[in-house]
Amino acid sequence: MARNIIHMAVPMTVAQLINILYNVVDRMYLGRLPGHLALTGLGLCLPIISILMGFANLCGMGGAPLCSIHRGRGETDEAERIMGNSFTLLILFGLSLTGLCLAFRRPILYLFGASDLTFPYANDYLTIYILGTVFVMVGLGMNPFINSQGFSRMGMMTVTVGAVVNIVLDPIFIFGMGMGVRGAALATVISQGCSAVWVLRFLTGRRAILRLRLSALRLHAGRVKRILSLGSSGFAMSMTNSLVQVLCNATLQAWGGELYVGVMTVINSIREVISMPVQGITNGCQPVLGYNYGAGEYRRVRQGIRFTTALTMAYSLVVWLLVLLFPEFLIRTFNNEPDLIAAGIPAFRIYFATFFCMSFQFIGQSVFVGLGRSRQAVFFSLLRKAFIVAPLTLLLPALGLGVDGVFLAEPISNVVGGLACLLTMYAVVYRPLGKMKS
């Protein structure tokens, strides 16, 4: 089990890191523009981008584990139909979201914390980014179906292609052609288009075990319900992340102004980078756990859970120590403005005070999703962000903590929500599996 998980997790972890690299590279380049308004404007778009990714995860992370379970049972035809239905849903969501976001982007951005100073930057980036929504849906939403078939290296190449294109085009468009934030958005859209083409070519080609066929695209109510039910965990996580980002930006705007919105943009960027290996490991275990669970190999499922937990915790503890020791170095990766660095270092240490506990959430979530337990997965997605972080983000600043209260909400939620998720997974999944015969 350890070898199988590593075989899946290493390429997926590399893919996750590359994916984050090409998501944050825009922020790294825009952070080099004079001042911090361009970076802050991009930060205001992140909740909307998180929502779009949430819809991609709704279908991809919902359908791919089901495919693994049906493959484990030898039901290849049903696995292909689940993949086809997921693709149709992704296209429908992509087209609908494109129209809605274009029509209401101005009120949405002001609702999410934009000011008259930051709105032009946010609007320029978002308008172009939205036009590539279908590419996001296909590239991000269908890539899990490559990984679920055991082609993790090919899945890694999906994001590698997009990352290379984005990294090459960003400086050309932003600085060479003087397009600023619009150039960053255009480079991202083109790179996402390349990733989408890569995914479709593989899933319709001869190498794929499960192929994307026209006969499987017609929606079936039962399959759609199962896909959306299981995918609602990843969707809830993205939506609650978006909610928290909105609340943080609005609260920071009220208590500290644009400077602290910029600080939160940098912190979120660093968090995405350092948490990606954890997501890569836990996502990599899901196809292995799902396949063995579908095949009735419960002893091997328990082995996989133990190995994933140990590996994830070891990484989290090492990174937790590093980020607390070198905050200024990490912040300067995105911005060299003295006022942003001065405000960012104490905020950084508060936000990441209990980072290692975040791995508890990822471990529990991955097991619930991998074994098709949608109810528990959705509940714990909502618990940490919607029921702990969001209320604390509003309450703690009002109790006299000011901007520090916004950053303090995250470490509290890591401990409470993370432990609740991990302990519940142990009680309702890991222990009962030990009593079942393989």
Side-chain angles (χ1 to χ4, degrees), residues 108-402:
I108 289 174
L109 285 172
Y110 273 103
L111 178 66
F112 285 10
S115 66
D116 291 339
L117 291 175
T118 56
F119 174 77
Y121 296 96
N123 184 59
D124 284 348
Y125 186 90
L126 187 62
T127 301
I128 295 175
Y129 185 92
I130 289 170
L131 296 176
T133 300
V134 172
F135 297 150
V136 176
M137 293 292 122
V138 174
L140 182 62
M142 294 303 294
N143 202 43
F145 292 95
I146 296 178
N147 295 323
S148 69
Q149 298 178 50
F151 297 104
S152 53
R153 292 184 181 178
M154 189 60 63
M156 179 183 71
M157 287 303 299
T158 300
V159 291
T160 302
V161 168
V164 171
V165 172
N166 195 39
I167 292 170
V168 171
L169 293 182
D170 255 335
I172 296 174
F173 290 164
I174 295 172
F175 303 112
M177 300 179 65
M179 296 177 67
V181 293
R182 290 176 297 169
L186 181 59
T188 300
V189 168
I190 293 173
S191 66
Q192 289 167 342
C194 293
S195 294
V197 171
W198 179 275
V199 169
L200 292 179
R201 285 194 63 184
F202 180 81
L203 290 177
T204 55
R206 295 182 178 179
R207 289 188 59 189
I209 298 172
L210 305 176
R211 294 186 189 177
L212 189 61
R213 306 177 190 274
L214 287 175
S215 58
L217 298 185
R218 184 176 179 180
L219 295 178
H220 180 274
R223 294 189 189 97
V224 170
K225 182 179 179 180
R226 293 173 64 206
I227 292 167
L228 298 184
S229 176
L230 188 55
S232 57
S233 168
F235 180 72
M237 187 173 289
S238 294
M239 294 300 287
T240 51
N241 280 337
S242 179
L243 169 65
V244 170
Q245 287 175 353
V246 170
L247 289 176
C248 287
N249 288 341
T251 307
L252 289 171
Q253 179 72 35
W255 289 88
E258 281 87 2
L259 174 63
Y260 280 93
V261 179
V263 169
M264 182 56 82
T265 301
V266 173
I267 287 177
N268 279 328
S269 301
I270 295 170
R271 175 183 55 80
E272 289 176 12
V273 173
I274 64 177
S275 65
M276 269 306 113
V278 177
Q279 292 190 40
I281 295 167
T282 52
N283 288 344
C285 81
Q286 288 178 19
V288 181
L289 295 181
Y291 183 90
N292 281 277
Y293 185 74
E297 296 286 346
Y298 305 121
R299 181 182 59 84
R300 290 173 60 82
V301 175
R302 281 167 55 91
Q303 289 177 351
I305 293 173
R306 289 197 300 271
F307 177 75
T308 302
T309 301
L311 187 60
T312 302
M313 282 303 304
Y315 167 82
S316 299
L317 286 169
V318 172
V319 172
W320 172 62
L321 293 173
L322 291 176
V323 295
L324 292 183
L325 289 173
F326 306 107
E328 183 174 350
F329 170 78
L330 294 170
I331 294 171
R332 285 186 180 276
T333 306
F334 292 87
N335 192 278
N336 284 319
E337 294 290 322
D339 55 345
L340 190 143
I341 293 172
I345 291 175
F348 191 95
R349 288 201 166 107
I350 294 172
Y351 188 91
F352 290 106
T354 62
F355 171 77
F356 68 94
C357 293
M358 185 183 292
S359 62
F360 300 159
Q361 178 87 17
F362 283 118
I363 294 166
Q365 286 285 124
S366 66
V367 174
F368 289 138
V369 173
L371 303 187
R373 294 173 174 264
S374 57
R375 290 183 180 179
Q376 290 99 332
V378 172
F379 174 78
F380 287 105
S381 292
L382 293 173
L383 175 66
R384 194 173 75 86
K385 288 292 188 178
F387 299 133
I388 300 176
V389 177
L392 290 179
T393 299
L394 297 175
L395 181 62
L396 293 179
L399 292 177
L401 293 175

